[in-house]
Amino acid sequence: MRSEVGRIGGGIGALAVLSLAALGAMPAAAQVPPLPGTTAVTGFPTEGTPLGEDTGSGEAAGVSEGGSATPWAEAGPVRLGTLGFPYNALAATPNATARGWTVTPSLGLELEATDNLYATHRDRRADFITRLQPGLLVTVDTARLQGVFNYQPELQLHAVEGSQTGIDHFLNGQMLFTVVPNLFYLDVRGSAGVQAANGGYAPAGDTVNRRESDIQTSSFQISPYVVQRFGGLATVQAGYALQHVSQNLQEGADFAVSPTGQRYFSDQEFTAHEFYATARSGEDFGRLALEGRAVATEYDGTGVLDNAYRRNVSVESRYAITRFFSVLGEVGYEWLRYSGVPPFRVSDTIWSAGAKLTFSEESFVTARYGHRDGFDSARVDAAITLGGRTRFFANYAEQLTTGAQRAADLLTTTTLDELGNPVDTATGAPVLQPFSNSFLGVQSSLTRLRTASASISQEWGRDTFTLSVLHERQRPVSTEIGTVATRQSGTSGSLTWGHELTPYTSAISYIQYGTFKTPGRGSGDVYTASVALVTQLRPGLAATLRYILTNRGDDFTDGRAVQNVIIAGLRQTF
């Protein structure tokens, strides 16, 4: 919660929403409205995400949910930014009125006391921590520029364990520049966060960990691209994306070691050059939507990403049989190469088949089964509104990736709400950033990653209840030389209750239980409980008081490690 308190946008209502979302519990992007005069769009799906999952409606494909032809984006001129890479840029709607800039600086102070700084069973060490949190939130909506930027560094000053004093960086930002209207665009985005290398904490809870076991991840991307529309026949886009990602242990550490003395993570870094071209059918094709795509990504990095590449060509289709039911298909070919032990190579076909059920603009289920990354797998995305008060989200997917690549993927599979929180473009659900999730450990290997999540949230006036379940499994495929890789997995469930006590004060409670298997802790389980009180003292000034209990046991701990944390904070926005 410490970083979320810094995102006060306009009062206690926003604070309550952000606190819930930070715990992985707020499942509706609509909880925080999109930027005025902009639309969060997905356009062409990311690699491995076919047409059936690009949006909640068929507009972007030139096909209405009823299956009949519809003008592109209802407005004649194409809604630029809705096409191709970057797949989810914020783009101004046609003829939108420029709304200018909003710049909101802030300054936060938190006082934290804990009876067990390192969350150990023996040698418990109490500490008092002062956290200084300057922040800058920028939203812009003009004819030439749209986007959100939210940056909050955090200085931690330890009264007892002075070696743990340091600075963490938290960032989310996306900006779309219109260089030449209707033709040339520049997309810039970045993100940063901190997670525990050894895992064993609640997926989205606050961690009080040894700094030398914390990993700071930073990822940035810049992408110039051109878009050209050919009437109602097709739209073509081509461009280049430069990505850079670094994952570094804090306090000068270069690698993380398991309790048995094995290295399972070393600092990672890569620069990627991606060239892409896409062509997508227009409304002249009626019920049928087609997309052809060629993408080549070359990696210059460390470990398994040393001289690696991903290249593929594919054609995807969607045909609306009825307004509620569409069939999906994809065929193509891919070439993959990763370094490591053993080296990993793929030269294979791509295919998938599936269907999409559309109940309303905000309710749909998409499912497909296919072959990609050298193996067969399924993917499911669902977002369903029930009775106006209840929202349900679910996702299941498998992919071949690394920890550093997951940070880069976040930039191309999410958009941001107006407070800078990432939102999944396929379902509209708030996204738990992989580089701030401390549930499982971080490894340097190439892994086959399986993720599954589901959440259901219900609102009753002054109360919001959210139940969430998260599962993740990683199977090593190729290991960085000098490290070992092990299978790891975890399943976690949480329940959050937010209650508005007064128009200016809210209470938020949270309980979580999870089981895990990680190289840093072996097998174990963790209980976490938290209760927080958030109040607006006066316009622009908010106060928080929070208690957190963590109880963890694992193979390398004799008994259970119990940690109590009390946090009191103030944040002033200017």
Side-chain angles (χ1 to χ4, degrees):
M1 179 166 176
R2 63 176 185 249
S3 61
E4 282 68 36
V5 173
R7 294 175 179 151
I8 298 170
I12 194 61
L15 279 172
V17 169
L18 284 172
S19 299
L20 290 169
L23 296 172
M26 192 58 99
Q31 300 292 344
V32 181
L35 288 174
T38 67
T39 178
V41 294
T42 59
F44 285 0
T46 56
E47 181 179 331
T49 308
L51 290 170
E53 290 157 24
D54 54 354
T55 66
S57 69
E59 265 186 55
V63 180
S64 71
E65 290 305 321
S68 59
T70 180
W72 197 289
E74 304 286 345
V78 64
R79 232 188 294 188
L80 298 162
T82 66
L83 307 170
F85 189 101
Y87 311 105
N88 52 4
L90 290 171
T93 56
N95 303 318
T97 301
R99 299 176 185 269
W101 294 71
T102 300
V103 179
T104 308
S106 63
L107 181 62
L109 171 66
E110 286 187 352
L111 304 178
E112 177 174 328
T114 177
D115 63 345
N116 190 359
L117 179 64
Y118 301 127
T120 57
H121 174 57
R122 289 190 173 93
D123 191 24
R124 296 166 60 96
R125 301 187 184 185
D127 204 349
F128 185 82
I129 308 167
T130 302
R131 303 181 188 273
L132 298 177
Q133 304 162 327
L136 180 64
L137 172 65
V138 178
T139 62
V140 57
D141 180 20
T142 69
R144 293 278 184 164
L145 177 63
Q146 302 85 39
V148 184
F149 175 87
N150 191 353
Y151 174 53
Q152 182 182 299
E154 179 179 88
L155 172 62
Q156 303 176 19
L157 303 172
H158 288 250
V160 179
E161 299 292 315
S163 63
Q164 299 301 302
T165 294
I167 300 177
D168 294 332
H169 299 272
F170 302 90
L171 166 70
N172 277 313
Q174 296 181 3
M175 291 287 175
L176 180 66
F177 299 85
T178 301
V179 182
V180 179
N182 301 325
L183 180 63
F184 184 34
Y185 298 85
L186 180 65
D187 182 89
V188 180
R189 55 185 65 196
S191 57
V194 176
Q195 67 189 125
N198 48 5
Y201 296 91
D206 283 287
T207 63
V208 181
N209 196 39
R210 293 181 182 272
R211 287 191 60 80
E212 57 268 26
S213 297
D214 281 344
I215 296 174
Q216 173 76 66
T217 298
S218 301
S219 58
F220 301 94
Q221 173 181 286
I222 181 169
S223 175
Y225 63 96
V226 295
V227 179
Q228 181 64 55
R229 185 183 181 193
F230 299 93
L233 181 64
T235 300
V236 176
Q237 177 175 341
Y240 162 76
L242 173 66
Q243 295 179 335
H244 181 78
V245 175
S246 63
Q247 290 187 306
N248 299 304
L249 285 158
Q250 306 280 53
E251 298 305 309
D254 296 323
F255 52 84
V257 180
S258 72
T260 58
Q262 296 177 311
R263 297 185 182 185
Y264 60 89
F265 173 83
S266 62
D267 287 353
Q268 299 292 299
E269 184 175 15
F270 76 79
T271 298
H273 304 273
E274 179 170 292
F275 300 88
Y276 59 91
T278 56
R280 197 170 199 175
S281 61
E283 61 268 25
D284 289 354
F285 284 75
R287 295 171 179 257
L288 178 65
L290 295 170
E291 176 186 300
R293 174 173 54 223
V295 183
T297 307
E298 312 293 320
Y299 295 93
D300 178 12
T302 58
V304 297
L305 290 176
D306 180 21
N307 200 31
Y309 62 71
R310 296 182 66 99
R311 304 165 184 166
N312 70 79
V313 292
S314 63
V315 176
E316 303 176 62
S317 65
R318 179 174 69 185
Y319 185 77
I321 296 177
T322 71
R323 64 177 303 162
F324 302 111
F325 181 73
S326 300
V327 293
L328 314 170
E330 178 190 19
V331 293
Y333 205 87
E334 66 179 349
W335 300 264
L336 311 178
R337 182 176 72 188
Y338 289 88
S339 299
V341 182
F344 183 81
R345 306 284 191 274
V346 168
S347 179
D348 202 358
T349 56
I350 297 170
W351 62 267
S352 70
K356 179 176 182 178
L357 294 173
T358 303
F359 308 105
S360 68
E361 185 175 348
E362 296 182 348
S363 297
F364 65 92
V365 177
T366 304
R368 78 176 192 275
Y369 187 83
H371 185 82
R372 183 179 284 269
D373 291 342
F375 57 84
D376 297 341
S377 64
R379 181 182 177 98
V380 177
D381 287 291
I384 300 174
T385 300
L386 303 171
R389 292 183 179 270
T390 305
R391 288 285 283 166
F392 172 78
F393 291 95
N395 169 267
Y396 174 87
E398 290 188 65
Q399 66 180 122
L400 192 72
T401 188
T402 70
Q405 281 182 307
R406 292 183 72 185
D409 290 343
L410 183 77
L411 298 179
T412 57
T413 58
T414 60
T415 187
L416 300 180
D417 65 29
E418 65 179 355
L419 297 178
N421 301 299
V423 176
D424 183 77
T425 54
T427 63
V431 172
L432 181 62
Q433 297 167 318
F435 49 79
S436 62
N437 184 345
S438 296
F439 189 44
L440 297 185
V442 185
Q443 299 190 78
S444 302
S445 57
L446 174 68
T447 63
R448 180 173 171 177
L449 172 68
R450 175 184 296 176
T451 57
S453 62
S455 66
I456 186 167
S457 178
Q458 192 166 54
E459 294 185 37
W460 290 94
R462 295 163 61 184
D463 296 276
T464 300
F465 299 90
T466 303
L467 178 65
S468 300
V469 179
L470 173 68
H471 173 77
E472 184 171 311
R473 188 183 74 176
Q474 300 178 14
R475 189 181 73 183
V477 175
S478 180
T479 304
E480 179 185 11
I481 296 174
T483 67
V484 298
T486 61
R487 295 191 180 195
Q488 63 173 340
S489 61
T491 302
S492 174
S494 65
L495 176 64
T496 302
W497 173 31
H499 177 68
E500 183 183 295
L501 299 171
T502 74
Y504 302 100
T505 304
S506 292
I508 304 165
S509 58
Y510 167 77
I511 57 173
Q512 176 271 346
Y513 174 73
T515 61
F516 56 82
K517 181 178 181 180
T518 78
R521 297 193 184 277
S523 298
D525 63 351
V526 58
Y527 302 84
T528 305
S530 172
V531 60
L533 192 66
V534 189
T535 185
Q536 180 176 285
L537 302 178
R538 57 182 174 80
L541 179 63
T544 62
L545 181 63
R546 186 178 183 190
Y547 169 73
I548 308 168
L549 169 66
T550 301
N551 185 315
R552 183 182 59 248
D554 57 56
D555 290 340
F556 303 109
T557 301
D558 182 16
R560 301 190 66 85
V562 179
Q563 181 186 69
N564 293 278
V565 178
I566 298 176
I567 303 173
L570 289 172
R571 177 161 290 275
Q572 176 70 58
T573 57
F574 304 97

